[in-house]
Short mmCIF file of all heavy atoms in Angstrom, two decimals:
data_model
loop_
_atom_site.label_atom_id
_atom_site.label_comp_id
_atom_site.label_asym_id
_atom_site.label_seq_id
_atom_site.Cartn_x
_atom_site.Cartn_y
_atom_site.Cartn_z
N GLY A 1 104.59 103.47 82.55
CA GLY A 1 104.83 102.49 83.56
C GLY A 1 104.02 101.27 83.35
O GLY A 1 104.61 100.11 83.40
N GLU A 2 102.79 101.36 82.99
CA GLU A 2 101.93 100.22 82.69
C GLU A 2 102.43 99.45 81.44
O GLU A 2 102.44 98.21 81.41
CB GLU A 2 100.55 100.66 82.56
CG GLU A 2 99.83 101.10 83.81
CD GLU A 2 98.51 101.72 83.60
OE1 GLU A 2 98.22 102.12 82.42
OE2 GLU A 2 97.75 101.84 84.53
N LYS A 3 102.95 100.21 80.46
CA LYS A 3 103.49 99.57 79.25
C LYS A 3 104.73 98.78 79.53
O LYS A 3 104.98 97.69 78.93
CB LYS A 3 103.81 100.64 78.26
CG LYS A 3 104.25 100.06 76.82
CD LYS A 3 104.43 101.22 75.89
CE LYS A 3 104.91 100.74 74.50
NZ LYS A 3 105.16 101.75 73.54
N ASN A 4 105.50 99.25 80.55
CA ASN A 4 106.71 98.60 80.96
C ASN A 4 106.52 97.50 81.90
O ASN A 4 107.43 96.89 82.56
CB ASN A 4 107.78 99.64 81.54
CG ASN A 4 108.32 100.48 80.40
OD1 ASN A 4 108.38 100.17 79.24
ND2 ASN A 4 108.70 101.67 80.79
N GLY A 5 105.23 97.22 82.31
CA GLY A 5 104.92 96.10 83.21
C GLY A 5 104.93 96.50 84.67
O GLY A 5 104.90 95.58 85.49
N VAL A 6 104.95 97.83 85.01
CA VAL A 6 104.94 98.21 86.49
C VAL A 6 103.44 98.03 86.92
O VAL A 6 102.53 98.53 86.37
CB VAL A 6 105.40 99.65 86.63
CG1 VAL A 6 105.29 100.11 88.07
CG2 VAL A 6 106.73 99.86 86.00
N LYS A 7 103.34 97.31 88.04
CA LYS A 7 102.05 97.09 88.63
C LYS A 7 101.66 98.09 89.70
O LYS A 7 102.50 98.75 90.23
CB LYS A 7 102.00 95.68 89.30
CG LYS A 7 102.25 94.53 88.30
CD LYS A 7 102.25 93.16 88.98
CE LYS A 7 102.52 92.07 88.08
NZ LYS A 7 102.55 90.76 88.69
N ASP A 8 100.38 98.23 89.98
CA ASP A 8 99.82 99.11 90.98
C ASP A 8 100.31 100.61 90.85
O ASP A 8 100.76 101.16 91.76
CB ASP A 8 100.24 98.58 92.42
CG ASP A 8 99.47 97.32 92.70
OD1 ASP A 8 98.38 97.09 92.25
OD2 ASP A 8 100.16 96.50 93.41
N VAL A 9 100.07 101.11 89.59
CA VAL A 9 100.42 102.54 89.35
C VAL A 9 99.04 103.26 89.20
O VAL A 9 98.23 102.89 88.44
CB VAL A 9 101.25 102.72 88.13
CG1 VAL A 9 101.57 104.17 87.86
CG2 VAL A 9 102.57 101.99 88.19
N SER A 10 98.84 104.33 89.95
CA SER A 10 97.60 105.07 89.79
C SER A 10 97.85 106.58 90.07
O SER A 10 98.91 106.95 90.62
CB SER A 10 96.60 104.55 90.90
OG SER A 10 97.19 104.73 92.22
N ILE A 11 96.89 107.37 89.63
CA ILE A 11 96.93 108.85 89.90
C ILE A 11 95.89 109.17 90.97
O ILE A 11 94.74 108.70 90.90
CB ILE A 11 96.53 109.61 88.55
CG1 ILE A 11 97.74 109.31 87.60
CG2 ILE A 11 96.37 111.06 88.87
CD1 ILE A 11 97.39 109.98 86.22
N ILE A 12 96.41 109.78 91.97
CA ILE A 12 95.57 110.20 93.14
C ILE A 12 95.40 111.73 93.22
O ILE A 12 96.26 112.42 92.72
CB ILE A 12 96.01 109.57 94.43
CG1 ILE A 12 97.44 110.05 94.73
CG2 ILE A 12 96.01 108.04 94.28
CD1 ILE A 12 98.00 109.56 96.10
N SER A 13 94.46 112.20 93.95
CA SER A 13 94.29 113.65 94.14
C SER A 13 95.28 114.18 95.16
O SER A 13 95.91 113.39 95.92
CB SER A 13 92.95 113.87 94.65
OG SER A 13 92.77 113.43 96.00
N GLY A 14 95.39 115.50 95.20
CA GLY A 14 96.36 116.17 96.17
C GLY A 14 95.88 115.76 97.62
O GLY A 14 96.75 115.53 98.45
N ASP A 15 94.58 115.78 97.86
CA ASP A 15 94.10 115.38 99.22
C ASP A 15 94.47 113.96 99.64
O ASP A 15 94.87 113.63 100.72
CB ASP A 15 92.64 115.62 99.32
CG ASP A 15 92.23 116.99 99.32
OD1 ASP A 15 93.14 117.95 99.68
OD2 ASP A 15 91.02 117.37 99.03
N GLU A 16 94.37 113.05 98.60
CA GLU A 16 94.73 111.68 98.82
C GLU A 16 96.18 111.51 99.09
O GLU A 16 96.66 110.74 99.89
CB GLU A 16 94.28 110.80 97.67
CG GLU A 16 92.75 110.61 97.58
CD GLU A 16 92.40 109.91 96.31
OE1 GLU A 16 92.97 110.22 95.17
OE2 GLU A 16 91.49 109.07 96.35
N ALA A 17 97.01 112.30 98.32
CA ALA A 17 98.47 112.28 98.54
C ALA A 17 98.85 112.81 99.96
O ALA A 17 99.71 112.23 100.58
CB ALA A 17 99.10 113.20 97.48
N ARG A 18 98.10 113.86 100.39
CA ARG A 18 98.42 114.37 101.75
C ARG A 18 97.93 113.48 102.82
O ARG A 18 98.46 113.51 104.00
CB ARG A 18 97.77 115.74 101.90
CG ARG A 18 98.61 116.86 101.25
CD ARG A 18 97.97 118.27 101.46
NE ARG A 18 96.84 118.38 100.58
CZ ARG A 18 96.92 118.80 99.31
NH1 ARG A 18 98.05 119.10 98.78
NH2 ARG A 18 95.87 118.95 98.64
N GLU A 19 96.97 112.58 102.60
CA GLU A 19 96.60 111.59 103.56
C GLU A 19 97.79 110.59 103.67
O GLU A 19 97.95 110.02 104.84
CB GLU A 19 95.38 110.82 103.08
CG GLU A 19 94.07 111.69 103.20
CD GLU A 19 92.86 110.92 102.75
OE1 GLU A 19 92.99 109.65 102.55
OE2 GLU A 19 91.74 111.50 102.68
N LEU A 20 98.45 110.28 102.62
CA LEU A 20 99.59 109.45 102.70
C LEU A 20 100.82 110.12 103.35
O LEU A 20 101.52 109.54 104.12
CB LEU A 20 99.96 108.84 101.38
CG LEU A 20 98.91 108.04 100.63
CD1 LEU A 20 99.33 107.64 99.20
CD2 LEU A 20 98.63 106.71 101.45
N GLU A 21 100.99 111.36 102.99
CA GLU A 21 102.16 112.12 103.43
C GLU A 21 101.69 113.52 103.89
O GLU A 21 101.60 114.44 103.10
CB GLU A 21 103.20 112.29 102.28
CG GLU A 21 103.82 110.98 101.93
CD GLU A 21 104.74 110.33 102.95
OE1 GLU A 21 105.09 111.09 103.92
OE2 GLU A 21 105.17 109.27 102.73
N PRO A 22 101.25 113.65 105.12
CA PRO A 22 100.65 114.89 105.62
C PRO A 22 101.66 116.07 105.45
O PRO A 22 101.08 117.29 105.45
CB PRO A 22 100.44 114.57 107.18
CG PRO A 22 100.27 113.15 107.18
CD PRO A 22 101.22 112.55 106.21
N ASN A 23 102.92 115.95 105.37
CA ASN A 23 103.82 117.03 105.22
C ASN A 23 104.01 117.60 103.80
O ASN A 23 104.80 118.55 103.57
CB ASN A 23 105.19 116.68 105.79
CG ASN A 23 105.13 116.58 107.28
OD1 ASN A 23 104.67 117.48 107.95
ND2 ASN A 23 105.71 115.54 107.83
N LEU A 24 103.24 117.05 102.86
CA LEU A 24 103.28 117.50 101.51
C LEU A 24 102.74 118.96 101.46
O LEU A 24 101.82 119.32 102.20
CB LEU A 24 102.49 116.67 100.58
CG LEU A 24 103.14 115.32 100.22
CD1 LEU A 24 102.19 114.54 99.26
CD2 LEU A 24 104.49 115.49 99.57
#
């Protein structure tokens, strides 16, 4: 993604993902 110029790409933990989407 970064090589193709996509901005704001990051890897987050499972807990951080569930903070964004509690139904995960």
Side-chain angles (χ1 to χ4, degrees):
E2 291 173 339
K3 184 178 180 180
N4 290 333
V6 179
K7 299 179 180 179
D8 292 327
V9 181
S10 60
I11 294 178
I12 61 178
S13 68
D15 289 337
E16 289 173 322
R18 278 181 287 276
E19 286 181 9
L20 296 174
E21 296 290 350
N23 288 312
L24 286 180

